[in-house]
Amino acid sequence: MTASPTPLTTRNARSAEIMTRARTRFPGGVNSPVRAFRGVGGEPFVAARGKGACIWDADGNEYIDYVLSWGPLVLGHAPDVVLQALQQAMHDGTSFGMPTEREVELADAIADRMPHLEMVRFTSSGTEAAMSLARLARAITKRDHILKFEGCYHGHADAFLVRAGSGVATLGLPDSPGVPEALARLTITCEYNDLEAVARIAHEVPLAAIMLEPIVGNSGFIQPDPGFIPGLRRLADETGALLVFDEVMTGFRIAYGGAAERFGVTPDLTALGKVIGGGLPVAAYGGKREFMEHVAPTGPVYQAGTLSGNPLAMAAGLATLGALTRAVHDSITAQTEMLVQGLRDIATRHGVPFTAAHAGSMWGFFFRDGVVRTYDDAKQSDVPLFRRFFHAARRRGVSLAPSAFEAAFMSAAHGPREIGETLHRLDEALGAALAERD
Ligand SMILES: *Cc1c(COP(=O)(O)O)cnc(C)c1O
């Protein structure tokens, strides 16, 4: 990491050239939409290399990174423990499509931290894990409807690309062409933190699952009201629905043992991803043995994967969870608190409406006052200011998610020096973003 004075990034010729080629080969030049920077405008970040807290783009510009591959890199970029584990695993072979010891070890490591995941099934993406959970919950309960929340993302399976109709929560309408209306009608959406709406629906419609991000990271950073998750547990129990935590993002971020530890509520089923793969493609779904034994081959619910439990991915996940001890988790949490408090102070000095929060090593901010409880609240933040702030931060070597509606992350590689430097740069960036408006 370079020291002050703050660099002002202007070089982007190589990145622009790569993106020109990429746009001829991929829709929007990308393999996942948010990377195209539609949320902020300008040329996308073309990554070349990462190490520790830093990432470098194709033009050699250096950034302190808070995207961290959208969450997985809890130890930072290319940590030595993960590289060593990969090197060892690689020499034994890159894929077998057969049971291996490493996958048992990773399942053990997960169960040590989340004892309610007695059994899991590994998949290669969070989308697959969430999609499989919908199928499993429907099979267990012999019910078809699923309740989800506005602003929660559970991957792009048809069942989840659904939004409620206007006004009160109603039967879902497709959020994307290609999702059949007949299927979308089986997904009901409520506003996050609206326990009364859930109560009304759960008593009216036989629900297979009530599914949520225990802390929302996919419409900015939104936390549940104190009674919300316990209330959902109670409603699920009263009505025979399964409570499903999508912890693909929150798992091993918001607490050492995830949402169950943080909120003291045990879900019936859980999806994991991101951190458990340590930067390689791994996700999982799991829960009590009696539920998981519905999955093939012990049960009739079919789900499979050629690369599921891939040995390189298992090795990366194991090394990551192994290094993420409770002490390390607590230390990343303290660094996150320092950054978030620093940002609040900066915003106060600049007199900008601002709210920021964190849970463990997951954090976020909005340019608006007051607590953000719903996606609608989030949408009332000053998005144009966010865009200017994002670009001003980028020019000063700080990489933030290119959208006002994404959570941010912290890693074990971010120390007090990186946090201090980040705050210094973001202070200048906010000043610049405000000056542009005036
Ligand atoms: C990222 C994410 C997913 C999807 O995972 P992919 O690996 O991108 O398919 C699902 N749910 C949540 C909460 C996520 O953050």
Side-chain angles (χ1 to χ4, degrees):
M1 197 187 66
T2 48
S4 314
T6 306
L8 278 182
T9 300
T10 47
R11 283 169 297 160
N12 76 343
R14 180 97 182 95
S15 299
E17 191 248 321
I18 293 170
M19 282 313 298
T20 302
R21 281 161 55 206
R23 284 188 190 97
T24 69
R25 290 294 176 204
F26 312 118
V30 295
N31 285 296
S32 199
V34 73
R35 300 178 194 172
F37 272 42
R38 296 284 160 90
V40 289
E43 271 300 336
F45 195 117
V46 179
R49 171 171 94 75
K51 189 69 191 172
C54 290
I55 188 168
W56 288 264
D57 66 20
D59 289 280
N61 300 303
E62 180 184 280
Y63 306 83
I64 307 173
D65 188 21
Y66 295 95
V67 181
L68 295 168
S69 190
W70 305 90
L73 305 183
V74 73
L75 303 179
H77 287 272
D80 292 340
V81 285
V82 171
L83 298 188
Q84 280 156 14
L86 282 172
Q87 226 144 32
Q88 269 175 17
M90 177 173 90
H91 289 294
D92 295 336
T94 55
S95 183
F96 306 113
M98 291 180 188
T100 63
E101 187 170 6
R102 280 195 187 89
E103 63 192 3
V104 183
E105 288 172 348
L106 184 56
D108 284 346
I110 290 169
D112 281 348
R113 293 156 178 82
M114 299 182 171
H116 52 291
L117 271 72
E118 293 173 2
M119 271 191 169
V120 300
R121 168 66 57 85
F122 286 117
T123 64
S124 299
S125 72
T127 290
E128 263 182 283
M131 176 189 78
S132 308
L133 276 184
R135 183 179 303 144
L136 179 58
R138 283 169 163 160
I140 292 170
T141 59
K142 302 187 171 64
R143 296 170 171 188
D144 288 339
H145 286 87
I146 289 173
L147 188 146
K148 73 180 282 288
F149 296 92
E150 190 88 40
C152 282
Y153 178 65
H154 304 298
H156 61 82
D158 285 351
F160 300 115
L161 286 183
V162 171
R163 183 181 1 218
S166 57
V168 265
T170 52
L171 298 186
L173 295 168
D175 223 5
S176 163
V179 176
E181 245 181 77
L183 190 62
R185 274 198 290 274
L186 299 175
T187 304
I188 302 171
T189 310
C190 288
E191 201 155 53
Y192 200 74
N193 276 321
D194 189 349
L195 198 56
E196 274 174 38
V198 179
R200 218 164 39 240
I201 287 162
H203 284 110
E204 239 169 57
V205 183
L207 295 173
I210 299 173
M211 182 142 171
L212 78 158
E213 291 179 67
I215 289 182
V216 188
N218 284 290
S219 43
F221 180 88
I222 303 175
Q223 300 192 77
D225 295 342
F228 185 54
I229 291 181
L232 294 179
R233 177 71 273 176
R234 201 182 57 246
L235 286 169
D237 290 341
E238 277 170 23
T239 62
L242 298 180
L243 181 63
V244 181
F245 284 179
D246 181 347
E247 289 223 68
V248 171
M249 189 183 286
T250 57
F252 308 111
R253 282 266 175 208
I254 63 169
Y256 179 73
E261 179 184 307
R262 186 177 181 93
F263 300 113
V265 171
T266 305
D268 296 304
L269 294 168
T270 299
L272 291 172
K274 298 192 169 115
V275 166
I276 65 163
L280 272 81
V282 185
Y285 63 99
K288 276 204 196 76
R289 182 182 318 276
E290 66 185 88
F291 290 142
M292 289 305 289
E293 283 188 336
H294 283 76
V295 177
T298 42
V301 180
Y302 195 72
Q303 185 270 318
T306 302
L307 293 175
S308 296
N310 172 270
L312 294 184
M314 295 293 109
L318 260 175
T320 299
L321 286 194
L324 188 62
T325 60
R326 203 175 269 280
V328 170
H329 171 82
D330 290 350
S331 140
I332 310 175
T333 300
Q335 300 296 340
T336 313
E337 171 67 26
M338 190 191 292
L339 181 71
V340 165
Q341 189 51 49
L343 285 174
R344 291 187 192 118
D345 295 343
I346 287 167
T348 304
R349 272 205 306 284
H350 287 277
V352 186
F354 184 81
T355 180
H358 79 101
S361 60
M362 179 176 161
W363 59 280
F365 64 90
F366 295 102
F367 285 112
R368 56 156 287 165
D369 282 322
V371 179
V372 170
R373 297 175 58 251
T374 67
Y375 187 30
D376 268 349
D377 290 347
K379 283 189 280 199
Q380 283 156 33
S381 63
D382 189 341
V383 176
L385 176 58
F386 172 84
R387 288 195 192 109
R388 291 195 301 277
F389 178 63
F390 166 85
H391 286 292
R394 189 176 179 208
R395 283 192 294 275
R396 288 165 180 79
V398 177
S399 164
L400 301 171
S403 161
F405 305 107
E406 295 285 353
F409 303 95
M410 182 68 77
S411 88
H414 292 67
R417 200 168 70 94
E418 283 80 6
I419 308 287
E421 183 62 31
T422 300
L423 288 170
H424 167 68
R425 294 180 189 184
L426 291 184
D427 192 356
E428 286 185 10
L430 186 54
L434 290 166
E436 271 178 59
R437 172 162 55 183
D438 299 334

